[in-house]
Every structure is written in C-alpha cells, then in structure tokens.
Amino acid sequence: MHGTLPVCCLLVYGSDVDVYGERVKRRDAQLSLDYLDSLLFTWTKLNLDIWDLHPSEPARVYLSQAYWLTMSSQVDANVPTPDMPAVFDGMKLAAVATVLYVIVRSLNLKSPTAAPDITCQDTPLIRYLLKSCPILTKEYIPPLLWGKSGHLQTALYGKIGRVKSPTPYGLRMYLPMQDGATATFDLFEPQGVHNTGDDITMVICPGIGNHSEKHYIRTFVDYSQKQGYRCAVLNHLGALPNIELTSPRMFTYGCTWEFSAMVGYIKRTFTQTQLIVVGFSLGGNIACKFLGENPANQERVLCCVSVCQGYSALRAQETFLQWDQCRRLYNFVMADNMKKIILSHRGSLFGTSYSKMELADLSRLYTATSLMQIDDNIMRKFHGHDSLKDYYEKESCVHYIHNINVPLLLVNSSDDPLVHQSLLTIPRTLAEKKPNVIFALTLHGGHLGFFEGAVLFPQPLSWLDKVIVSYSNAICQWEKHRPQCR
C-alpha cells in the first residue's frame, strides 16, 4: 500500500459526493494513483459501498459504520460538514473515560503501597523480632496492575492458589480417633539443615475445606522444607475427596480434635523436636483455640502464626450477610463448596436410611445459600450444640487466644473481602495488652493472596510465605541465643 491515510478520512477531487442526500462541492485537483490506492484501502476497511469513481461523473458514496472528517489542507473552509462526527467522538471519549474510571476504581490503582501497620508492645523480644524480620517493617508491593484489588488477590488464591506450585513428597499418616473418625495428615521431612542446627517441625492447619494438596499449602511446605523445617499438614476431616469418613462427623469451624491428635503424634514420634504452629484462615482459628484451650498444649511450642482468620464466628456471621465488599456473594460461593463436601460424604454422615429429621436437614441443605444455614442445619449437630449462637461461641478462638503465652504473630489484610474491619479490633486489642503478640495489618493482600510481582505476573513465592518463615527463623534464633539476644 502506498502511504497511509488517517482512519475515517474521505477526500474526493474533481467530482461531487452525495452524503445522506446532501451534495458537497469539492475543490478540483489531480488525484494521484497512489492517493487513490490509499483511499480505496481505507474505504474498503471501513466497509464503504463505492458505486462510481470516474472523474467525469458524480461519485455517489454511501457511508456505513464510518465517521465523516475533513482535513483543512485539502478541504475548502467554506464547505459545510455534518455535525454527526462530533457527537460520535464525544460519545466515544465518554465511553473510554467511563471504562478507565471503572478500571481504576475496581483495581484500586490509586491506592499507595505501604509497610504493614504493626501493633505491639515495646519489649526486648518484640524489638529483636522486628529487627531480625525486616520484611514485617518493609513496604509490601503487590503486582502493579491488579495486586491492589483484594477481590482479585482473593480470586487468584481461590482459583489457582499459587503460581508454578511445586509438588513436595510427603507420607500420609492415619490416626484413629476415639469416636471412630480417622484423622489424616501429611508429613514432609526437611530438605536441609535448619540454620540453628535444631530439629524443628511446623504443624500446619489449612483453611476451610482445605488439605495438603492445595497449591498454596504445597508452595509453603516446599519453601519451609528448603529452610530446614519438617512440616506436618492436617487434612481437614472430609476435605480429601478420595478419603472416606469412618464416622458421622466432619471438620467444623473450631474443632481441635484432629489437630491435637496430629500434634500429639509429632511430639511422641520426634521427641527432640520443637514446634511452630501455623494456621491459615479457619486453620488460624483452630490453631489459636488449640493453644489457648489447655496450657499443656503450648509445651515445646516455640511460636504460633495465624493468617487471615476472623477470630469470632458469631460476629463474623453478621457481616457475611452484608453486600459490601461482595461479602454476601463470597458467602454463597463458600456455602456451595461446603454443600459439595457434605453431599460427597452423604452415606457416611447420614447413613442409607434417613429419618424424617435427617430428610428435613438434607432438604434444607440443598436449598441453603449461606454458611449460616448449613451450620445451623448440619454442622452444629455434629457436636451437639443446642443453637447456632452456642456453636459459634464455643468454636471461636476469641475466648481462648488471650491464654496463649508463646510468641504469637497475627496477620490480616485491610482489603480482605471475607474479614470485616470490625473483627480486627480483636487482634489489635490483644497486641496492645500482651507482650508476646504482634499484629501486622497490610494495606493489600486480599484473603490468603499476598502475591508479589512487578506488573502483571506474580512470583511463585508470596509475601506471606516469606513472612512466616522469616518470623519463624527469628524466633528460633531468639530461643537458641536468648541470653545474647537480651
């Protein structure tokens, strides 16, 4: 093609052009073959119907799907031009501006990046931890284009967990429980020597309905193994699709029986090991509740890290019915996932012949659109709670967490769409009152997202993985060299 014309530009010389019935006289000029070639290309691209281009006869051109523009150097200034293009251009600009505004607002692009907001007391331990774990005081920078959106961080975590997730090799363990249930967990041996030379095991409790095969768990386990940690990951009762239930019970919001059995096994089997307790989301509630229920549970425990938990199920369930931050939609999605897990174990949970009450519960389960409805009709009955309020009260760690005396790191994100801001007063108040607690609140990260990256693509390791291991390393060094640290 000879040369290039601006899009939507029509010039016809030595002829009259009829546009929507209005004849416009053009200035006589010599139309070169190159220029005609460019015009034909442009008209064809714009889907124009050209009837006649002979210079001695009028050229009638019908415009379809095109704008009429004029160029001052080639069109007489006195020639009238239609007003339609200005309207179209204005509408186009308005549409583009609207789309850009929606993108900027939905992706939260104008939000600044910042270091986590740290709440803690000024003690020798806390000062040492903040100095030895600089990632807690440095700016967290999420991926530029989408990382400032808590919804996208949460959605990416929920959809793929982590990017390029490894597949660590572990041994699956089965523990019979007193009520006939069978707890399972996966054991991963360290891939190197810990920097203190000690035997240290991370006991990990995943999020709701999760297990050791989830990508975010695999990524964290692989990273921890390479840092010299043994890892034991609880598989929530009923969460693994290929493991049948052996009793009419599955995991609940705060039942610590399976986690306690796993920790007991680790202590008995590895008599010299020390423990670091890690809980993600619902797992954070279980881990903190386990440590606070009985002081004996804190023996040989170096520290605890809880990430993205809500602390109080009773207060959280009220916020889950609200539409702000699309929380009601998340509630529906999680309820649908819970229904699938329950129905996949229908035979074990309800038997083959249903009573009228069980049939009624199943009917309400099918029509449930929220976690609260499922908890009220199914989950609370596994442990004999009289009411939904009683179930939430007794299953929440908020009534036990103040009993934890080992170093405790609580991490939440301000843009977590699942954890309402009102719930964050619980860890903040705890950190203000107890000398062993650090509460780190990030500006971005969503729910268990915390991806890092330059512009678009996230890194395989998240900020969260690095924080947990860095904090754990600092605690181990503190315990190893406590007199010097002080």
Side-chain angles (χ1 to χ4, degrees), residues 97-169:
T98 301
V99 171
L100 290 176
Y101 175 79
V102 171
I103 291 175
V104 170
R105 287 297 301 270
S106 60
L107 297 182
N108 204 19
L109 294 178
K110 294 183 65 177
S111 176
T113 56
D117 179 34
I118 302 295
T119 304
C120 59
Q121 290 190 12
D122 185 16
T123 65
L125 170 63
I126 298 299
R127 287 196 298 270
Y128 175 80
L129 290 175
L130 294 180
K131 180 180 178 180
S132 303
C133 187
I135 191 173
L136 276 175
T137 55
K138 288 185 178 180
E139 183 181 25
Y140 162 54
I141 304 178
L144 178 63
L145 291 183
W146 54 267
K148 296 178 181 179
S149 168
H151 295 293
L152 289 181
Q153 288 254 20
T154 303
L156 189 60
Y157 145 74
K159 189 66 177 178
I160 66 173
R162 290 292 182 263
V163 179
K164 298 179 181 178
S165 177
T167 307
Y169 173 77

Side-chain angles (χ1 to χ4, degrees), residues 320-321 328-336 339 364-374:
F320 262 110
L321 296 176
R328 184 66 178 87
L329 178 61
Y330 286 104
N331 190 0
F332 175 81
V333 173
M334 290 191 293
D336 190 60
K339 281 196 286 187
R364 285 189 285 266
L365 174 64
Y366 280 113
T367 59
T369 60
S370 70
L371 287 173
M372 284 66 74
Q373 292 172 323
I374 296 176

Side-chain angles (χ1 to χ4, degrees), residues 18 24 33 42 50-51 64 75 91-92 122 131 140 154 179 189 259 354 399 404 424 435 442-444:
D18 189 22
V24 180
L33 292 177
T42 303
I50 304 174
W51 286 18
S64 61
V75 181
M91 293 174 62
K92 186 177 180 180
D122 185 16
K131 180 180 178 180
Y140 162 54
T154 303
D179 65 343
E189 290 298 329
F259 190 73
Y354 307 127
H399 305 296
I404 299 178
L424 301 182
T442 63
L443 199 58
H444 309 109

